Amino acid sequence: MKLSVIITTYNSEEWLRKVFIGYSIQTDSDFEIVVADDGSTFKTKELIDSFSSKFKNPIVHVWHEDDGFQNQVF
């Protein structure tokens, strides 16, 4: 696998669908898609599942609960 494409999302199924369509028609398919999901509803997971068969490599869905803005001082 050549590279990983990381896509961030939060309850934006229509925009995520458009991004998936763009990647599904690429001539080079040697990449994985990682969706970093900031606590979206189940609709996002359903969309990701519907596109999984269109890609040679799996779509990795990383979901975590939306806890709002986190200001961390290091």
Side-chain angles (χ1 to χ4, degrees):
M1 184 169 315
K2 291 183 182 177
L3 60 100
S4 297
V5 176
I6 301 172
I7 302 167
T8 60
T9 191
Y10 175 70
N11 290 330
S12 299
E13 293 83 16
E14 184 60 28
W15 291 108
L16 185 59
R17 184 182 70 77
K18 292 174 183 183
V19 170
F20 281 158
I21 289 170
Y23 281 109
S24 71
I25 60 174
Q26 295 298 309
T27 54
D28 186 353
S29 62
D30 194 16
F31 60 89
E32 70 175 345
I33 293 179
V34 178
V35 179
D37 186 349
D38 189 21
S40 296
T41 64
F42 193 70
K43 287 181 172 183
T44 299
K45 181 173 177 2
E46 288 175 337
L47 177 71
I48 292 168
D49 291 344
S50 74
F51 272 89
S52 290
S53 64
K54 294 176 174 51
F55 292 96
K56 175 183 169 186
N57 299 308
I59 299 173
V60 179
H61 183 201
V62 180
W63 183 93
H64 70 88
E65 187 174 348
D66 178 19
D67 289 330
F69 177 75
Q70 303 294 315
N71 186 7
Q72 297 180 0
V73 178
F74 295 96

